[in-house]
Amino acid sequence: MADSVRAWHPEVPGIREVLHATFSQHAYPAHVHDDWTVLLIDDGAVAYALDRAGHHAVPGTVTLLPPQIPHDGRTAVAGRPFRKRVLYLDREWLPPTSEVAAAREPALRDPRAIGIVAGIHEALRAPGDALAAECGVLALADLARASADGSRLLRTASDAPLARRLRQMLDDRVDESFTIAEAARLLGTHPSHLVRVFSRSYGIPPHRYLTALRVDRARQLLRAGLPAAEVAARAGFHDQAHMSRHFRRVLGAAPGTFAA
C-alpha cells in the first residue's frame, strides 16, 4: 500500500491543521508540536513513545498528545500499514494541568470521544459545516478535562437568559456564517460555557439547531417556487450540495421532494 498524506487548514476556531494519512513504511522520529495533537486510528495500530514512555494508539480510542512533549511513531505490526486522522488544536484548547495528565495517560477512552472526533472530521469534509466542527472541538475539550481530573462532565448550572440570547442570535442570523467564538465574544462568555448552556436548555447543540432552522426555511422557499440554488443561498447553506446533504439527514428526502 502506498503512503498517502492530505493536510489542510480549515477556517474553524481552535483548529490549526487537519491531516489524513496512511503509512506503510514511514516511521516518525522523535519530534514535538506547538499544538495539541488529537489522533484517531481508523485501521492498524501505532506504537509510539511519549516523553520516553511506550504507548499504543489503536482503533476505539482517541489519543491526546500534549504540546511540546517529544514523541515518535511507527506501525505496531511489522508489514501492516496504519491509517489515521489527526486534528492539531490550539495550545489553549486545554489548560496546562491537562498537559501533565495527557503526558501520563494519552488515551482518552470515553466512548463518546470517538463519536465526537469522527463527527468533527465528517463536518470538515466539505465547506458549510464549520460550526458543527467548532462545537465538536468544544465538546471534546469538556470530555478531556473530565478525564484528566477523574471527574464527571462539568454540570453547567442553568442560565436560561444566556441560552435565549444565543437562540435569538441564531434565529436572527440564520442566513449568515459566524462562529461560536464570535457569538461568545458578543455575549460576554466563554465558547465552551455557551455551548453547554444552550445544549442543556434546549436539548440540542447550537449547530444542529441552526441547521434545523435552515432546513425549515429552505423547505418553505422551495414550496414557494424559488429555484434550489437561490434557496440554498437564502437559507444560509454553503451551496446546493450542502443543502441537499442536510435535507437528506434531517428530512430523509432530497430538496426536490418539497419543490412546488
Side-chain angles (χ1 to χ4, degrees), residues 13-42:
I15 302 181
R16 301 292 296 275
E17 187 179 346
V18 183
L19 183 143
H20 292 181
T22 299
F23 288 120
S24 57
Q25 301 294 330
H26 179 67
Y28 287 98
H31 62 288
V32 299
H33 296 288
D34 288 333
D35 312 308
W36 280 91
T37 301
V38 179
L39 172 63
L40 188 64
I41 300 296
D42 292 310

Side-chain angles (χ1 to χ4, degrees), residues 171-195:
D171 290 346
D172 293 342
R173 301 177 62 178
V174 65
D175 60 343
E176 300 179 29
S177 295
F178 61 96
T179 66
I180 292 295
E182 293 170 2
R185 284 194 295 271
L186 290 172
L187 296 177
T189 188
H190 190 278
S192 292
H193 179 71
L194 186 58
V195 170

Side-chain angles (χ1 to χ4, degrees), residues 225-244:
L226 274 67
E230 181 180 347
V231 168
R234 290 180 58 173
F237 291 104
H238 179 76
D239 53 24
Q240 195 170 334
H242 184 216
M243 180 177 71
S244 295

Side-chain angles (χ1 to χ4, degrees), residues 27-33 49-52 69-74:
Y28 287 98
H31 62 288
V32 299
H33 296 288
L50 177 66
D51 202 19
R52 295 175 292 182
I69 304 295
H71 60 277
D72 58 14
R74 71 205 65 82

Side-chain angles (χ1 to χ4, degrees), residues 41-129:
I41 300 296
D42 292 310
D43 190 43
V46 175
Y48 66 97
L50 177 66
D51 202 19
R52 295 175 292 182
H55 300 275
H56 284 82
V58 298
T61 62
V62 171
T63 300
L64 302 181
L65 303 179
Q68 299 296 341
I69 304 295
H71 60 277
D72 58 14
R74 71 205 65 82
T75 181
V77 182
R80 181 176 178 181
F82 63 88
R83 183 162 50 90
K84 67 176 184 176
R85 289 179 285 174
V86 185
L87 300 169
Y88 296 100
L89 306 180
D90 287 341
R91 184 163 189 168
E92 295 74 21
W93 176 62
L94 289 176
T97 52
S98 295
E99 297 179 15
V100 177
R104 183 175 61 250
E105 177 48 77
L108 183 57
R109 304 185 188 281
D110 191 313
R112 290 168 292 183
I114 293 288
I116 291 173
V117 176
I120 294 170
H121 284 285
E122 179 66 24
L124 294 170
R125 287 180 59 190
D129 288 329

